[in-house]
Amino acid sequence: MPDKTAMKFFENLLNTVGPSGYEEEPAAVFRNYMEKFCDRVDTDVLGNTIGVLNPDAPFKVMLVGHYDEIGFQVTYISEDGYIWFRPNGGIDKLNVPASEVEIKTANGIVPGVIGKKPIHLLSDAEREKAVKLEDMWIDIGAENRKEAEKLVAIGDPVALKCNVKMLGKNRIMSKGLDDRVGAFVVAETVRQLAKRKINVGVYGVGSVQEELGYRGAIASCYNINPNVGIAIDVGFATDLPDVPKKKFGDVTLGKGPMIAKSADVNSVLRRKIIEAADKNKLPYQPVTAHRASGGTDASAIQLIRGGSASALISIPNRYMHSPVEICDLRDVDAAVKILTETIANFAGNEQFRPGLD
């Protein structure tokens, strides 16, 4: 399990407001932590944070987990003082009504709630339909537009309210576990590798704007030009009622991270990851990704410049893209150990050409 230092960092990372494109808060937490053990820490113009070990090594391994989160953006303030918004990332509109939110303004956080017409005032037909985002609003308690405009401006980003807490001994609940749990795994793997003798350069990236299409990972890959790139993200836990395992695989919280096999994954690199896990008796769940290609930063890593050997390790996640995502810290711990052992075993002259290794 993560130690007290690591858990404090994880909680601080989760307790930030950072919708895609507005990740200054999680970036600062990530950067301040990485500076304690990295040889160098940089932040680029997009907001990606890159912590480096052994920067002079010619062979480069990049780990990336994104710390942006889904959210909204203010588009209009009504005469009555209500805030209208658009989605920022892949929003599940079924989860949105009655959510508590935090609007990131020039003068700090303004709390609010997302409202809709009460069920008592809906027609029978309306009660059977999902409410459209355009029919919801944010209530910040303002009595009119003038009062609201003193607090909130058009374009201000909006995030779900910070709500991190432990559920039982091993499981953590929070908004934004997609994918701050991945950014946490990146940071902790780099911290563990800083204690080891390594033969390769390690580049731990907290990336931005993944929820808008891998934008941070693309820029980071182009800058670093890694030989190996491993994305750490969340994957769908299927240990829930009515989730078809025949379609999405058998994935259970607490049984280890998911090691994906798909077109986005280099077969040689995947084999080395599994060999490291097996040798050290670390738990994992072999899976196929939920699509043939795409959905995570791994698909971007694979194609930048002349291409990199890519892999995807996912932390099982319940209730993805909702305010109450749940992950298991045992899966997180195993992911850190698997990555640490994999990278510590690299000699720095590996070849990852499928069929020619």
Side-chain angles (χ1 to χ4, degrees), residues 18-23 68-71 88-89 157 208-212:
S20 300
Y22 305 91
E23 301 94 345
D68 61 310
E69 61 183 304
I70 59 168
N88 187 11
V208 299
Q209 299 187 41
E210 190 272 352
E211 298 293 355
L212 302 181

Side-chain angles (χ1 to χ4, degrees), residues 108-273:
I109 297 297
V110 172
V113 297
I114 294 181
K116 69 174 186 65
K117 192 191 302 182
I119 190 171
H120 313 74
L121 306 182
L122 298 177
S123 67
D124 290 342
E126 287 175 323
R127 293 183 186 189
E128 300 300 320
K129 295 180 181 179
V131 181
K132 297 179 181 179
L133 289 177
E134 62 200 53
D135 293 329
M136 303 181 211
W137 56 85
I138 299 172
D139 189 337
I140 61 171
E143 296 186 16
N144 51 56
R145 175 184 284 172
K146 184 177 180 180
E147 184 178 338
E149 287 180 335
K150 291 179 180 179
L151 300 171
V152 174
I154 302 300
D156 283 345
V158 183
L160 296 168
K161 182 183 178 181
C162 298
N163 60 346
V164 59
K165 60 174 61 70
M166 291 297 298
L167 297 179
K169 181 180 178 182
N170 298 307
R171 292 173 178 176
I172 189 167
M173 183 208 81
S174 178
K175 61 101 177 191
L177 281 167
D178 179 8
D179 178 41
R180 289 178 187 155
V181 69
F184 173 76
V185 170
V186 168
E188 278 306 288
T189 301
V190 174
R191 184 166 78 111
Q192 296 307 315
L193 287 168
K195 305 172 185 177
R196 307 276 289 267
K197 184 181 183 303
I198 55 174
N199 302 308
V200 298
V202 177
Y203 295 73
V205 181
S207 70
V208 299
Q209 299 187 41
E210 190 272 352
E211 298 293 355
L212 302 181
Y214 333 129
R215 294 161 64 89
I218 291 171
S220 296
C221 263
Y222 200 91
N223 180 26
I224 296 167
N225 193 19
N227 302 87
V228 168
I230 304 174
I232 301 93
D233 211 314
V234 292
F236 299 107
T238 61
D239 55 349
L240 297 168
D242 300 325
V243 175
K245 292 180 172 61
K246 290 180 180 179
K247 182 176 181 180
F248 298 110
D250 190 357
V251 179
T252 301
L253 260 63
K255 291 190 175 181
M258 305 154 67
I259 301 180
K261 188 174 186 178
S262 72
D264 292 338
V265 175
N266 178 275
S267 59
V268 181
L269 176 57
R270 182 179 185 273
R271 187 179 71 241
K272 289 183 181 297
I273 293 170

Side-chain angles (χ1 to χ4, degrees), residues 282-301:
L282 296 168
Y284 63 90
Q285 302 181 72
V287 297
T288 55
H290 71 282
R291 63 181 79 175
S293 178
T296 72
D297 285 335
S299 61
I301 293 169

Side-chain angles (χ1 to χ4, degrees), residues 94 112 118 125 146 159 274 329 343:
L94 295 175
K146 184 177 180 180
I274 287 177
L329 293 176
I343 296 168

